[in-house]
Every structure is written in C-alpha cells, then in structure tokens.
Amino acid sequence: MTNPEKMQAILDKIKAYPRIMIFRHIRPDGDCFGASKGLKAMLQATYPEKEIILTDDAQTDYLKFLGPDDAPVADEVYASALGIVVDTGGVKRISNPKFALCKEVIKIDHHIESEPYGVISWVEEHRSSACEMIVAFYDMFKDELKMTPEAAMYLYTGMVTDSGRFRFEGVTGDTLRYAALLLDQGIDTQTLYAHLYLKEFNELKFQSYVLEHMERTENGVATIYVSDEIQKQFGLTREAASTSVSFLEGIKGCICWLAFIDNGDESHSIRVRVRSRFVETNGLAEHYHGGGHAMASGATVYSVEEMRQMIDEADAFIKEYKESHTGWL
Ligand code: AMP
C-alpha cells in the first residue's frame, strides 16, 4: 500500500470501530504526548458517539500542563478496541503493554523503521514529528475530521518540541503549512512557550555545571556524564538531568554530542542521549541497545567502561566522517 492508501485504510478502521484506544512510548516526550492527546481530541470531536481512550501512567514533569490522561480500564475493554500507537518505533517501547490485548493495532510513526507492527504500519521517516503526521492525516480528510483549538494546541506542542522550534533537518514547507493550520485554530503560544521553556532556578545552575564540566574528544565529540550524585545535589528529576544534552549543542567543530545520565538503578544503567548535526549517528546508538532518528537517538550503557568505549567509538566515527566530508561546521 502507498501511504495515501494506508491513510485511507486507517480512516476506514477508525470509522469501523466504536472504541479506539491510543498508545504512545515510554518516557513520554512532547511529540508522543501531543500526538496521542491531539488524535484523541480530534477523534472525539469528530465522533462523539465513539469511545476514545488514552490511558497511561507515565507522565513527564514539563508536560503536566497538558493535563492527565484517562483512568485505567479493565482488560476486557481492550479486547474490542482498535489500538493506535503513535510515535513509537518498536513494541518494546510502547508504554502500556496491554496494547497487545486490542483486537487490531495500527502504527503511526516517524522514527527510522526498525520493526513494523500492527495491521497497518504507516511510517514516514522524513516527517519532523508524529504530530505532523496526525495533522497531515487531518488535512487529507478534513471534510470528515474535526480539528478543535484543544487538539491544535496538543499537536502544535509536539510539532514545536520535536522539531527544536522548527529548526531541525526534518522541517519542510509542509511542516510550516501544517503548523499554520493549527495556529489558525487560535493557540495561546505565549503561555505554551512559557510552560515549555521557562526553567527552574536550580536547572539553570545545573546548566552552568554542565558547561563547566563538559569535555570534548580530539575529533569533536562533546560529552557530559551526569552521575546520580550530581542529580541529587542539584535536586533534579531524571528528566531535568536529561536536558543536559541540549547544553552541548552549538559548539563549533563538535558535530556529535553525547549526554550520559545515570539512571540510579540496580543494573547501573546509564541513559545516553545522542545528537549530531551534518552526520547521521543513529548507527552508534544502535550499537548500544538503542535507536531513534538519524541525528537524535538514544541508547543505554551499563558501566562507565562501556560509556568510555562508546565515546571512543563515536570519536573514531566522527574522525572518519570529517576526513571524508566537507561542509560541516
Ligand atoms: P532521546 O534522547 O531519549 O530524546 O531519544 C531521541 C530519539 O531516539 C527519540 O525519538 C526516542 O524515541 C528515540 N530513542 C531513544 N532511546 C531509544 C532506544 N533505546 N531505542 C530506540 N529508540 C530510542
């Protein structure tokens, strides 16, 4: 099936089911929150007679302003439902494992396709966000579907956050046209940006710690390791500690940057956030139990030694890239 055919098939399934359950990934970010809540709001406005359920325990501090999800439901409820999973590359990353109880499952995602699942797998890797795909879906069927200011706000949140405020490589003319379509609904962007981007005092102090302690390898990989102890010292949630990756961005010559965040668990796992410009680094993440996008991916290492090994591998990879390419900055 081509993608327009898949979109039509998804709409047909949505129309056919009286109950639809929406799922997203673990460690929810703005895009999976926005896509799941936006899709729910849009479908509920379009089909008031249908039951659209989004139940998920996992929350993320900086997205709490988007409001809670539905209360958990009994297992029997899943059995008759169409499940739609948004923004999630593989089944292991779906936050609610009960998605498997659904009668049929549909995947809507923009990550590099590593694992198709579901009766329809609609994946567009070039899209800057899953929210952009939901808006494209709306745009294709706008005679049938209803957009609301609430749905627009959720979807815009995902578009803004996953595209780095419309700066990342995946941003196209379509991205801005779809964003415009959402803004036309009347979004209070000042309040939205205040929720998304204002920082707590201790978080800014932490930023200065990261700038002070970051390192760079010979060939231009910027790194920071944020131990459990440091996270406690600054009173940070894991999520707040994980934002350290963004402080490493923007160093001339450092075209790859890695933030290692201690998970503080028994297996001594360390979350790795992998970012780059010009060069695709998702292969590096895949070597360390991870994956994601070409220039924004995630991985896990299980010791400080493995962290060093990953840094060395990144450095060698960047060396080779720089030697064989021009135009990087
Ligand atoms: P993060 O640094 O956690 O924001 O991850 C960047 C991107 O990579 C996100 O789109 C994640 O969904 C994806 N990602 C992160 N960790 C993994 C993983 N272990 N496996 C597959 N994809 C991942």
Side-chain angles (χ1 to χ4, degrees), residues 96-116:
N96 180 353
K98 290 187 183 170
F99 83 93
L101 300 175
C102 287
K103 192 161 177 201
E104 290 187 299
V105 169
I106 289 171
K107 172 184 184 181
I108 300 180
D109 187 34
H110 73 129
H111 291 95
I112 293 167
E113 174 87 273
S114 59
E115 182 191 349

Side-chain angles (χ1 to χ4, degrees), residues 124-142:
E124 295 198 9
E125 294 171 7
H126 65 282
R127 294 284 186 191
S128 68
S129 62
C131 282
E132 184 180 319
M133 294 177 71
I134 303 293
V135 187
F137 185 74
Y138 162 77
D139 193 46
M140 182 159 162
F141 302 114
K142 55 178 174 295

Side-chain angles (χ1 to χ4, degrees), residues 211-259:
L211 297 179
E212 191 73 30
H213 290 84
M214 66 187 181
E215 294 181 3
R216 72 180 156 173
T217 64
E218 195 183 333
N219 297 292
V221 179
T223 65
I224 186 73
Y225 169 57
V226 187
S227 67
D228 199 36
E229 196 186 347
I230 287 296
Q231 294 175 52
K232 290 199 175 102
Q233 189 181 312
F234 283 93
L236 300 168
T237 60
R238 298 262 174 252
E239 214 40 56
S242 301
T243 61
S244 51
V245 72
S246 63
F247 311 149
L248 305 178
E249 185 188 349
I251 305 168
K252 265 192 189 166
C254 290
I255 59 174
C256 172
W257 50 107
L258 309 173

